[in-house]
Every structure is written in C-alpha cells, then in structure tokens.
Amino acid sequence: MKTTPSKKRKDFLVFGSPLIEEAAIQEVVATLRSGWIGTGPKVKKFEDLVRDYKGSKHAIAVSSCTAALHLSLAALDLKPGDEVITTPMTFCATLNAIIHAGAKPVLVDCERGTQNIDPAKIASRITSRTRAILPVHFAGRPCDMDALGELARKHKLAMVEDCAHAIETEYRGRKAGTFGEFGTLSFYVTKNITTAEGGMVLTDNAELADKIKILALHGMSKDAWKRFSDDGYKHYEVLYAGFKYNMTDMQAALGLHQMPNIDVYWRRRQEIWKRYDEAFAGLPCFTPAAPEAGTRHGYHLYTLLIDSDKRGKTRDQVLSELNALNIGTGVHYLALHLQPFYRKLLGHKAGDFPNAEFIGERTLSLPLSAKLTDEDVSDVIDAVTSILR
Ligand SMILES: *Cc1c(COP(=O)(O)O)cnc(C)c1O
C-alpha cells in the first residue's frame, strides 16, 4: 500500500518556544534603561502576582526551580542519611536538589496511566529516616493529593511539591503547590510561564519564608534584600552559608507580562491538546490519560507513548522522523534510576521501576506552546499521522 509522504515544514518548529509579546519586550527594555536591572521592585511585583494567583501566603522569586527545590529542602534542615521520597519519572533536577540538600532520594515507581508517583507503593518505602515526600505533578496533572497528604500526616513527613509543570494545576479546588510546606515553580523557557530562567518558592509559613529569603541570598539577614533600595544603607549579618539564587528585575519584567495572560495561554494549550487527542485517537500509540474529574490539568506536556510492538517503529525512530519533517520534540523523561549517576549512588538496575521504564522507553513530547498557530498544529498532526499510520 502506498502512502503519500508527509510534506516537510519550511522552517523548524522549535519545541517549547515561548510566546513573548511586545509588552514584555518593552518592559525588559525599560528595565535596562531604568538603571536598576538586579533584584528590585519588578521582582517584588512579580512575586505578588504569582502569590495572589496561587493563593499562598508567601512567594519568593529565585533563579530557577532547581534553586527553589534546593532551598526548600535546605530549609527543612535535612541531615545526612535522611530520606526524601520521590518519583523516577521527573527531571534530574528533582533528585539533584535532594542530594545537594544532603539527603538520599528514595524512589517509588509512578503509575503507568497518570505517570505520577503511585501513592499505594509509598508506605513500604517509608523508614525511620524518611523526612519528606516530593511529588511531581507530571505534565501538569495533579498527583493524588488526598492519598499523599494522608501519608504525610500519618508519618509526620514534610511535603515539597515540584510544580515545574503545574502552575495552573488544581486538585479538588486547591492549587498545586499549597498542600505541603513548600511548592516550587519553574519559569524556564519551555515552561507554561517563563522569565527565560527563574523559579519561585511558595509557602504559607512566615518563618520558613524568611529562611528561604535568607538562604537564597548568601545567608544574609533578611534586610539584605532591601539593602540596595533608597531607604538608606543597612548592615547585614550572615546567618548561614547561603546561596546566590535571587531573581533579577530583567527576568521579572518578562514575568509581569506573562502572568496576566496565564489563562489565555492555558486555554490555547487546552485547545491544542484536544486537537491532538482527536487526531491521534486511532493511531497505534497511547495518548495522555484524560484529565481527572474535580481537577485542573496544567497541560504542560502532550506526550505520546510509542508502542513499537504495534507499529514496528521505536520511539527514537519516530523522534528522528519527526525531526526530519522539521517538527521539534522532547523526551520527558528517560527513567532516572537508570541514569549512570543514580544507578551507582542508589544501586538501581533495570526492572526496579517497571512503569517508569515503560514510559521512559516510549515517551515523546509534542510542541504544546501557546505560540503555536493552527497551521503549526496541523503540521504536527500531519507529520505524526504520516509516520505512525
Ligand atoms: C524544569 C523542571 C525542573 C527544573 O526547573 P528549572 O527552572 O529549569 O531549574 C524541575 N523539575 C521538573 C519536573 C522540571 O520539569
């Protein structure tokens, strides 16, 4: 049987390319001309916008979600040998932050359908050294927060939610990132809201919020954040060996014009998501599980699982064929426990987390940015259909 070869797009469709509008560009330029490009009033304004959107009491802008995770775990005063439970189906930054905070990541497999950590498998991994649970709301789909909250209460564990995919995510009317001690956001280029690089820590605890602020700026006493303002010079005291994780006004300038559009961008991604769902329903691959009732999906990643048994093409073949048709893709993620460093550190091997491995071998993320035009979406659909049909 002959199939018509799919047309190659004229230009390469970059995966995760963000929508940056003119107002944001002007704000960055104005910041450059203002004489104040470091941490200042725009960061404060951006923090207020995100804090109000999420409904948390405090929001501290930092340089990345990796920094936000590191600070959150550092603020919990983890001791060597302490354990933090998380999923192997996440970005390596999640595990690295646990390790840099001095603790040991303990991995628990994800569910195959939701791709989120499987709460039923957590209890058997809790020991006398377990201090925290670190759920990742994968692709923007909320984890089972009832079950995770119950486990945290019962075993007196802290909770840090990795909301890098999940700024819009809600679970039973409550915003992701407000369930535990800390929630962390990413404003990396490919994320739903971007400041090029950036992150934020959410918390309802005033004491922990102060500690995050201090740790994020060299461990200097909290007035250090106001040191450069015009209400006079203030001496600081160094209270901890802190980090240098502050956000700049240049980055916040971008964020100030992204946040007001958050729902517009979200609806656009939802529209694209639905078009993909309809177009791929009959193809030999798995499409993402439908959003759960009573939740709001963040629609951060649209992932297909390429089943090579059905089609005879591996994920990597499909990746390179899409690339040849000028469609950029991503892989989120290869199962982390099989990466050389964690394999060695944690003593893992193939077979330890079958669901994460199943996903890691098959998953492929398609472009899902609010920047995509209807034509871009059609190009992606035509390319995927021609390759998989
Ligand atoms: C992107 C990402 C991070 C890291 O975010 P940065 O802002 O790039 O540091 C952490 N966790 C997950 C799940 C991510 O996708």
Side-chain angles (χ1 to χ4, degrees):
M1 197 180 75
K2 261 200 250 162
T3 52
T4 355
S6 186
K7 263 205 326 247
K8 182 173 168 177
R9 256 180 74 93
K10 274 205 202 67
D11 57 326
F12 191 78
L13 185 62
V14 177
F15 177 85
S17 179
L19 181 56
I20 304 294
E21 299 183 72
E22 192 51 35
I25 294 169
Q26 289 310 321
E27 185 88 32
V28 174
V29 172
T31 309
L32 281 167
R33 295 193 201 285
S34 75
W36 196 292
I37 60 174
T39 303
K42 293 195 176 168
V43 169
K44 174 76 174 72
K45 218 165 138 190
F46 182 52
E47 287 175 336
D48 291 348
L49 279 182
V50 177
R51 185 200 58 208
D52 292 348
Y53 177 79
K54 294 300 272 184
S56 64
K57 292 214 175 81
H58 307 274
I60 302 106
V62 292
S63 52
S64 68
C65 184
T66 306
L69 286 165
H70 185 195
L71 291 168
S72 298
L73 293 161
L76 293 176
D77 273 330
L78 302 173
K79 303 284 181 290
D82 283 351
E83 296 170 357
V84 177
I85 291 179
T86 194
T87 168
M89 188 41 61
T90 183
F91 187 51
C92 57
T94 315
L95 294 205
N96 292 345
I98 296 171
I99 294 164
H100 290 310
K104 181 187 169 195
V106 172
L107 300 175
V108 170
D109 205 1
C110 60
E111 297 169 327
R112 219 177 256 202
T114 67
Q115 311 198 4
N116 278 328
I117 193 166
D118 185 348
K121 294 192 175 123
I122 291 178
S124 66
R125 303 287 293 154
I126 293 175
T127 71
S128 59
R129 302 307 307 265
T130 310
R131 292 286 315 280
I133 308 183
L134 203 172
V136 179
H137 303 292
F138 188 87
R141 185 190 179 95
C143 292
D144 181 345
M145 297 313 286
D146 282 347
L148 296 180
E150 181 65 34
L151 280 163
R153 268 189 302 281
K154 186 168 164 201
H155 298 275
K156 298 192 166 45
L157 307 176
M159 180 138 68
V160 178
E161 297 172 71
D162 183 337
C163 301
H165 302 176
I167 186 163
E168 303 94 341
T169 299
E170 291 176 21
Y171 179 84
R172 314 236 152 117
R174 195 161 156 192
K175 295 249 164 71
T178 65
F179 285 82
E181 275 67 16
F182 296 109
T184 66
L185 299 172
S186 174
F187 305 115
Y188 177 66
V189 277
T190 59
K191 301 293 159 72
N192 295 352
I193 292 293
T194 184
T195 61
E197 292 282 359
M200 206 167 289
V201 181
L202 308 172
T203 183
D204 280 345
N205 182 315
E207 231 170 279
L208 289 177
D210 279 348
K211 196 162 174 192
I212 294 286
K213 279 205 131 181
I214 293 168
L215 286 172
L217 200 66
H218 306 294
M220 300 192 303
S221 52
K222 74 176 175 184
D223 282 347
W225 282 80
K226 299 187 201 137
R227 194 157 55 101
F228 307 103
S229 68
D230 45 17
D231 36 287
Y233 191 88
K234 289 194 189 73
H235 289 290
Y236 57 80
E237 289 180 290
V238 178
L239 306 175
Y240 307 96
F243 307 95
K244 184 71 199 303
Y245 283 161
N246 52 310
M247 180 184 271
T248 67
D249 270 18
M250 297 252 296
Q251 295 162 302
L254 277 174
L256 286 180
H257 291 274
Q258 293 254 312
M259 279 309 289
N261 294 327
I262 189 166
D263 287 327
V264 178
Y265 296 167
W266 180 84
R267 273 195 295 276
R268 177 63 183 149
R269 295 197 311 278
Q270 185 184 44
E271 231 170 62
I272 299 169
W273 180 287
K274 285 182 175 160
R275 275 192 71 191
Y276 283 163
D277 262 356
E278 281 164 26
F280 305 143
L283 294 181
C285 59
F286 297 99
T287 53
E292 196 188 340
T295 70
R296 190 183 202 216
H297 199 297
Y299 300 121
H300 175 58
L301 297 172
Y302 190 94
T303 59
L304 294 176
L305 299 183
I306 306 301
D307 209 338
S308 60
D309 299 341
K310 286 189 197 157
R311 187 59 184 81
K313 276 184 192 174
T314 64
R315 183 264 319 276
D316 288 358
Q317 271 172 298
V318 176
L319 275 183
S320 50
E321 289 184 31
L322 281 169
N323 202 72
L325 294 176
N326 268 345
I327 306 293
T329 53
V331 172
H332 305 89
Y333 301 94
L334 301 179
L336 274 188
H337 65 287
L338 300 181
Q339 293 288 356
F341 181 78
Y342 310 118
R343 213 186 249 263
K344 199 163 149 214
L345 181 79
L346 306 172
H348 284 307
K349 57 184 186 317
D352 284 359
F353 303 113
N355 292 340
E357 291 169 28
F358 182 91
I359 296 162
E361 287 161 10
R362 292 168 177 78
T363 192
L364 178 164
S365 305
L366 297 176
L368 186 67
S369 160
K371 188 185 183 182
L372 300 182
T373 63
D374 288 344
E375 264 195 326
D376 292 334
V377 178
S378 297
D379 287 345
V380 176
I381 289 173
D382 289 349
V384 170
T385 309
S386 74
I387 292 166
L388 286 180
R389 184 147 63 206

